[in-house]
Amino acid sequence: MNEKYNVSSSPHIRDRIKSSNIMLTVVIALLPATIFGIWNFRREDAWILVVVTTAAAVLAEFIWEKLMHKPVTVNDFSAVVTGLLLALNLPPTLPWWMGAVGSVFAIIVVKQLFGGLGQNFMNPALAARCFLLICFTGRMTYFVYDGVTGPTPLANLKAGEAVNTMDMLFGFTRGTIGETSVIAIMIGAMFLILMGVIDLRIPGSYIVSFVVFIVLFGGHGLDAQYITAHLCGGGLMLGAWFMATDYVTSPITSSGKIIYGICMGLLTGLFRLFGGSAEGVSYAIIISNLLVPLIEKVTLPKPFGKGGEK
Amino acid sequence: MNKCTERIFNGLVKENPTFVLMLGMCPTLAVTTSAINGIGMGLSTTAVLVMSNMLIAMLRKIIPDSVRMPAFIVVVASFVTIVDFLLEGFVPSLYASLGLYIPLIVVNCIILGRAESYASKNPVLPSIFDGIGMGLGFTVGLTCIGIVRELIGAGSVFGHQIMPDSYEPFTIFILAPGAFFVLACLVALQGKIRRSLEKKGKKVAKPAGCGEGCAACASRGVCGGHLIEPDKVSVDKTEAAEDQADKNNQEKEES
């Protein structure tokens, strides 16, 4: 009995991983989608929008924290992740200053006003995307590929027209900068899973519940092509792997993560099939973000006070 | 007349219904899509508030305590109906844009709040001025929010194009979420100014009056449940008013 009994408050187990490592891993994982997006939309000069949006997010965080006399947390890369995610969620033709406005909104209104990293109640990048979508509806739904304007594959799908699922898989189609190529996104997602940064439960339950919803209510039954088109179209993959899994705005309990995923799957299906617009991933995720505190309360594990003897 | 000017100052600044008491949030958020809507709504409410305060102050000894709420509602509703018909008859465009919110002035908590906490306990003249002060405070609040929302959300103020043609309006600001953003920013700004004034030693923030208990008090959100004895209040009030008047004079002299 020579062991030292240290009495201290939690956390008792510490790891060498810091937020900055995790955020840096996410940035690296986003690189395939980013590089592909910039190359894919080279005629629209998408790189300017990506650079400006990311830089504006970092700058907004830096200036706000300086002004408010708070410790500057630009080094933890979270602002880079927010800015980059927002840029990947914008159509390539958007004027660069609108991207900057979105970044400032994401960082200052959604993140810093609520207390900075770890305190935001919804995903800042998605909240900013929805803000821009309501502000500049025309610009945010104006999609160009190779100089040709037209609807996104999802809109085609909704209108009952045929879509090329191979192009959607590789990303040679219209859409936002980062969402088009499922393969590039999956390369990044694999990296995140191998690094142990994200948990399969959230994207897994999200995608499975979405597919179930599409099969039940899509009107095409088990048509593989229809389901693949829905999976590859729009922001589903980007949202499921990179934005739904945000640590701050997803539940911490294992069963909570599955409930959260199902929530997003059902909402996305609902918005896509019965909503006014073809896409619904961003709204589905931020609405589920709002439900997270409730989900965590319901799925509170026993050691933290649920169940047990009365 | 000192008391009357004090009431106006009280309504405009010290207990501004929009920015300090946070009363009447429903019309504040709903109708301020443009500056003209804000000013129209504010002035309609002011008219109703002044008239109802006057009538309720006149009737304050006749209305039995147990049925005072229904009595107030009837008084307020009659004036709202008059204003409703007047607006429909003479400013149909404003009437069309305010729509349902005109009849809803009946249940505006500023009006019932002032009737309950001021007009039913005070003589007619101060009550009228209390109504004017509170109404103008409300009007200023709504107009400020309306100007900001219209400027950002549509690029114009009072219908006149201000921003250059290349400006792309942030449509969200004339939709519901914009009302919350603008209100929050203006309240924060006002709190900041208030605090910097307090630092310089000026009495601004102290809400002067506690009637009977916190439950019926309109300003309980501000004072944090701190009950001041009714006897002291009147003294405090006049003192505060005099202080304020002195400070005002000083400010004027300084500037």
Side-chain angles (χ1 to χ4, degrees):
Chain A
M1 296 291 274
N2 280 335
E3 285 154 333
K4 263 186 175 174
Y5 290 99
N6 273 330
V7 180
S8 68
S9 62
S10 60
H12 302 293
I13 302 170
R14 288 173 189 277
D15 201 298
R16 284 189 15 248
I17 301 173
K18 290 185 289 189
S19 340
S20 54
N21 301 38
I22 293 176
M23 291 300 172
L24 193 60
T25 318
V26 177
V27 172
I28 294 170
L30 279 171
L31 282 181
T34 314
I35 293 167
F36 179 83
I38 289 174
W39 175 79
N40 197 25
F41 295 107
R42 60 195 177 283
R43 286 182 58 172
E44 282 79 32
D45 282 335
W47 67 273
I48 299 176
L49 185 60
V50 174
V51 170
V52 168
T53 309
T54 314
V58 177
L59 213 62
E61 177 143 306
F62 179 77
I63 292 172
W64 176 266
E65 283 172 341
K66 275 282 173 208
L67 282 180
M68 294 292 134
H69 308 294
K70 285 207 243 170
V72 173
T73 57
V74 169
N75 293 340
D76 68 9
F77 288 101
S78 64
V80 178
V81 171
T82 300
L84 195 54
L85 271 178
L86 174 64
L88 297 186
N89 271 294
L90 299 175
T93 50
L94 199 77
W96 58 267
W97 64 268
M98 286 186 186
V101 167
S103 279
V104 171
F105 179 83
I107 293 295
I108 291 178
V109 177
V110 186
K111 190 174 154 196
Q112 294 295 350
L113 283 186
F114 288 90
L117 182 65
Q119 309 290 330
N120 45 304
F121 66 103
M122 61 164 68
N123 190 316
L126 278 182
R129 179 191 139 88
C130 295
F131 175 82
L132 291 176
L133 196 61
I134 300 173
C135 261
F136 313 109
T137 313
R139 295 271 194 183
M140 285 292 288
T141 51
Y142 178 72
F143 292 106
V144 171
Y145 183 68
D146 248 2
V148 184
T149 311
T152 57
L154 262 190
N156 283 334
L157 199 65
K158 191 168 174 122
E161 294 157 19
V163 287
N164 186 338
T165 26
M166 277 323 267
D167 275 358
M168 289 167 76
L169 193 65
F170 286 102
F172 305 117
T173 179
R174 293 183 194 93
T176 66
I177 295 175
E179 77 180 10
T180 53
S181 172
V182 174
I183 290 188
I185 294 169
M186 286 313 293
I187 293 172
M190 287 302 160
F191 178 68
L192 282 186
I193 295 168
L194 290 180
M195 295 296 286
V197 172
I198 60 171
D199 191 335
L200 262 178
R201 285 190 190 90
I202 295 173
S205 59
Y206 183 2
I207 292 169
V208 168
S209 60
F210 174 70
V211 169
V212 169
F213 192 93
I214 290 292
V215 169
L216 287 180
F217 299 103
H220 288 254
L222 277 167
D223 181 356
Q225 214 233 341
Y226 182 75
I227 296 171
T228 320
H230 256 299
L231 283 179
C232 298
L236 180 68
M237 286 296 159
L238 189 63
W241 296 102
F242 286 96
M243 288 180 292
T245 52
D246 176 14
Y247 284 166
V248 181
T249 52
S250 62
I252 202 164
T253 56
S254 313
S255 51
K257 284 178 179 170
I258 292 174
I259 298 175
Y260 171 68
I262 294 173
C263 239
M264 289 185 293
L266 296 185
L267 283 174
T268 308
L270 200 66
F271 293 151
R272 277 197 182 176
L273 293 183
F274 306 112
S277 76
E279 180 56 299
V281 171
S282 39
Y283 285 114
I285 296 179
I286 62 173
I287 290 174
S288 306
N289 283 165
L290 299 181
L291 295 177
V292 165
L294 291 176
I295 295 173
E296 283 184 337
K297 206 166 188 178
V298 173
T299 57
L300 199 65
K302 215 172 189 174
F304 293 103
K306 198 196 173 189
E309 288 174 33
K310 286 272 155 68
Chain B
M1 279 312 265
N2 196 13
K3 186 148 196 179
C4 301
T5 46
E6 185 266 325
R7 287 327 296 170
I8 291 186
F9 179 77
N10 180 60
L12 270 174
V13 180
K14 237 171 26 178
E15 288 185 24
N16 185 303
T18 310
F19 296 133
V20 183
L21 300 183
M22 305 294 266
L23 286 178
M25 283 295 113
C26 167
T28 305
L29 294 170
V31 303
T32 52
T33 50
S34 67
I36 197 77
N37 279 2
I39 210 165
M41 184 70 196
L43 289 180
S44 322
T45 312
T46 309
V48 175
L49 190 54
V50 172
M51 308 282 247
S52 71
N53 261 11
M54 181 185 76
L55 200 64
I56 288 167
M58 282 173 179
L59 298 174
R60 69 186 188 280
K61 287 176 183 144
I62 305 168
I63 298 174
D65 206 33
S66 49
V67 291
R68 63 184 196 287
M69 277 298 161
F72 294 165
I73 291 272
V74 170
V75 169
V76 176
S78 337
F79 286 119
V80 170
T81 315
I82 296 172
V83 167
D84 190 43
F85 284 140
L86 285 177
L87 282 182
E88 191 175 7
F90 293 101
V91 235
S93 60
L94 185 65
Y95 181 80
S97 62
L98 292 182
L100 182 65
Y101 290 97
I102 294 290
L104 278 180
I105 296 177
V106 178
V107 287
N108 190 320
C109 46
I110 300 172
I111 293 174
L112 269 186
R114 293 328 286 175
E116 170 79 10
S117 67
Y118 197 85
S120 63
K121 300 186 187 82
N122 287 284
V124 178
L125 202 57
S127 297
I128 293 176
F129 277 91
D130 182 70
I132 297 176
M134 279 286 158
L136 288 183
F138 189 59
T139 312
V140 168
L142 290 198
T143 314
C144 287
I145 297 175
I147 287 175
V148 176
R149 284 181 71 185
E150 196 184 341
L151 184 66
I152 305 178
S156 58
V157 169
F158 288 109
H160 298 289
Q161 191 72 27
I162 298 277
M163 295 291 195
D165 285 341
S166 55
Y167 176 74
E168 298 218 22
F170 289 51
T171 323
I172 198 168
F173 279 92
I174 50 173
L175 300 173
F180 288 95
F181 291 141
V182 173
L183 178 67
C185 289
L186 288 181
V187 170
L189 188 72
Q190 183 262 4
K192 173 103 181 142
I193 295 170
R194 184 172 286 267
R195 207 169 303 154
S196 67
L197 281 181
E198 256 174 26
K199 259 185 201 160
K200 288 180 197 158
K202 287 182 183 162
K203 269 190 200 171
V204 185
K206 289 269 158 58
C210 280
E212 3 106 55
C214 286
C217 175
S219 45
R220 66 178 180 279
V222 187
C223 70
H226 177 68
L227 186 67
I228 308 167
E229 293 302 317
D231 312 358
K232 281 187 186 171
V233 173
S234 52
V235 183
D236 281 356
K237 248 186 203 168
T238 42
E239 270 179 13
E242 278 164 17
D243 277 0
Q244 209 59 63
D246 289 349
K247 290 277 148 61
N248 279 354
N249 291 340
Q250 280 176 10
E251 257 179 284
K252 268 177 202 161
E253 283 165 16
E254 276 166 21
S255 60

